[in-house]
Each structure stands twice: as C-alpha cells, then as structure tokens.
C-alpha cells in the first residue's frame, strides 16, 4: 500500500491512494479524526461483509468510537471504546461472533493499535445489550490477570 499526501493550499492536503484520492481539510477535520474514522470504517465494513458471506443481512448499523488521548505530545490513544449497534436476522451468539472476528482477526486498523491502546467494546443487537464495556482479551495495551490456569492432563 502506498499513499502520497500533497499540500494544496492553507491547511488542505490531497491524499492519493492506489485506488483514488480525497482531501484532508484541516482544521475542519483533523488527521487524528480521519484516523479514527478509518479505524471505525474498517470494523464497520467487517460487520456488513461477514454476515453477507454467511447469508445474513445487517441493518441499521452504527459503530461509534470514543478515545481518551494523552494530554501532552505525543497525544496517542490511551483507550478506545467501540459501540456496535445493529439489527440482523441472526441470533445473538452469531452477531457477537461477527464483532469478535472483526476485533480479533480481520480489522487491520484495530490490530495495528491493539498493543498500545486499551480497547473495550459494547454490542447492541436487535435492541438488546449483548456485551457491555468488555475488554479485548488479547493485546489491548494492558496486562490481564487470568489467575492460575489449569492445563489438561495428557
């Protein structure tokens, strides 16, 4: 992947990708807002495509993201909370699996920041809360104490 960003005028830049181009208009929308929008767009795409591949349909999809950043430079993401709200013709277990597949495997942008940012999520499916403020179990920028783990006797 290659992207070239060129200054246009004032605080406007053109981003040219291998597939097209768009204007970055600062301070109207800051680069970090574009970044967060891309991150949310990545996972939202998964929540549409994964069900389609399995013969299901997602409607009324909304994914919101709320970030807490460092107060001083570098103002990196410390925490990210994603809220998924959607309706579908699948059961709740399958709907939760779509979100988890996006978070844990398919969404490249989330997987790019997961080791430096504590990520939590909430899932609302067909009007019901399936998960609320759950923490990703791998990565996530924080240590998780699983306690003593019991192995299988072979």
């Amino acid at each position: 992947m290659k992207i070239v960003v060129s200054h246009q005028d004032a605080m406007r830049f053109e981003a040219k990708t291998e597939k097209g181009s768009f204007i970055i208009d600062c301070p109207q929308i800051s680069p970090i807002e574009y970044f967060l929008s891309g991150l949310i767009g990545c996972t939202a795409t998964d929540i549409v495509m994964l069900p389609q591949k399995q013969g299901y349909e997602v409607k009324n999809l909304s994914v919101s993201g709320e970030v807490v950043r460092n107060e001083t430079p570098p103002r990196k993401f410390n925490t990210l909370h994603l809220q998924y709200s959607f309706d579908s013709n699948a059961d709740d277990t399958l709907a939760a699996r779509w979100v988890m597949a996006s978070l844990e495997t398919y969404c490249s942008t989330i997987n790019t920041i997961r080791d430096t940012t504590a990520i939590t999520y909430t899932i609302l499916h067909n009007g019901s809360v399936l998960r609320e403020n759950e923490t990703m179990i791998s990565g996530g920028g924080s240590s998780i104490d699983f306690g003593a783990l019991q192995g299988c006797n072979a």
Side-chain angles (χ1 to χ4, degrees):
M1 174 187 320
K2 182 177 180 181
I3 295 176
V4 176
V5 175
S6 303
H7 181 242
Q8 300 298 297
D9 56 52
M11 290 301 291
R12 290 172 33 95
F13 302 83
E14 180 180 23
K16 291 183 182 177
T17 73
E18 295 168 355
K19 298 176 183 173
S21 66
F22 59 93
I23 298 297
I24 300 170
D25 190 3
C26 305
Q28 187 70 24
I29 299 174
S30 71
I32 200 74
E33 290 170 312
Y34 281 103
F35 177 74
L36 182 56
S37 297
L39 189 147
I40 293 170
C42 177
T43 190
T45 300
D46 292 339
I47 305 306
V48 172
M49 287 190 328
L50 290 168
Q52 282 179 347
K53 289 181 179 181
Q54 297 174 344
Y56 294 94
E57 182 181 15
V58 166
K59 293 182 181 180
N60 305 314
L61 173 65
S62 172
V63 182
S64 64
E66 186 172 346
V67 168
V68 174
R69 297 173 61 196
N70 279 349
E71 292 290 326
T72 58
R75 296 202 53 220
K76 73 171 199 73
F77 291 2
N78 290 318
T79 64
L80 167 63
H81 181 75
L82 295 166
Q83 180 166 306
Y84 297 81
S85 178
F86 61 98
D87 300 322
S88 79
N89 56 338
D91 65 35
D92 290 344
T93 301
L94 187 55
R97 284 182 184 155
W98 296 330
V99 173
M100 293 311 303
S102 177
L103 291 172
E104 296 288 343
T105 304
Y106 294 109
C107 183
S108 300
T109 55
I110 288 174
N111 283 288
T112 297
I113 68 165
R114 72 186 298 152
D115 291 331
T116 59
T117 305
I119 301 171
T120 59
Y121 62 94
T122 296
I123 304 171
L124 300 142
H125 179 244
N126 292 333
S128 298
V129 177
L130 304 185
R131 306 277 192 283
E132 190 166 15
N133 295 318
E134 293 284 327
T135 301
M136 286 182 64
I137 60 172
S138 59
S142 62
S143 61
I144 298 171
D145 182 5
F146 288 104
L149 299 176
Q150 299 295 320
C152 297
N153 293 330

